[in-house]
């Protein structure tokens, strides 16, 4: 009889352990599902950030090219009037030289 009682206790202990193991497995499964969903959210956020970065880089490149073009136009504008002024002064000097001679 004591052997049967001991076996019964062992069976109850095993059943109790199985129930605890099932509960732990269910908890781990829930955690796994939550982490999988979180990983998908992070992946999506990363992709959005990468798209935003690429867009920002393209805008920065467009702005850089626009500034470069404006600088070139400014340099050209600065050089043109200077050359025009020199030309008109030269013509004025030639005119005075002709008048003097």
């Amino acid at each position: 009889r004591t052997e049967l009682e001991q076996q019964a206790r062992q069976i109850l202990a095993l059943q109790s352990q199985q129930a605890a193991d099932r509960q732990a497995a269910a908890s781990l499964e829930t955690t796994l599902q939550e982490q999988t969903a979180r990983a998908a959210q992070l992946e999506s956020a990363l992709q959005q950030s990468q798209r935003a970065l690429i867009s920002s880089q393209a805008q920065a490149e467009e702005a850089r090219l626009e500034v470069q073009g404006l600088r070139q136009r400014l340099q050209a504008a600065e050089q043109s009037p200077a050359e025009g002024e020199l030309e008109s002064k030269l013509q004025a000097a030639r005119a005075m030289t002709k008048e003097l001679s």
Side-chain angles (χ1 to χ4, degrees):
R1 180 173 181 169
T2 55
E3 189 178 326
L4 285 177
E5 288 174 351
Q6 186 179 359
Q7 285 178 347
R9 276 191 232 110
Q10 288 175 342
I11 289 171
L12 288 174
L14 286 172
Q15 287 175 337
S16 176
Q17 184 61 48
Q18 279 182 330
D21 288 348
R22 281 192 204 104
Q23 191 173 12
S27 176
L28 287 173
E29 179 66 27
T30 299
T31 301
L32 176 61
Q33 289 172 354
E34 290 169 353
Q35 294 298 323
T36 300
R38 179 74 178 133
Q41 289 173 342
L42 290 172
E43 179 67 25
S44 176
L46 174 62
Q47 289 173 354
Q48 287 178 336
S49 295
Q50 287 172 330
R51 284 192 294 270
L53 175 61
I54 290 168
S55 175
S56 294
Q57 287 173 329
Q59 289 173 354
E61 180 63 13
E62 286 176 18
R64 186 188 70 76
L65 291 172
E66 186 175 342
V67 167
Q68 184 179 16
L70 290 172
R71 279 191 184 133
Q72 289 172 348
R73 286 175 53 195
L74 178 61
Q75 287 173 346
E78 287 173 344
Q79 289 171 359
S80 291
E83 290 172 5
E85 282 179 31
L86 288 175
E87 186 64 33
S88 64
K89 286 181 182 177
L90 183 59
Q91 286 176 356
R94 284 183 184 148
M96 281 201 254
T97 307
K98 283 183 183 178
E99 288 177 18
L100 291 173
S101 54

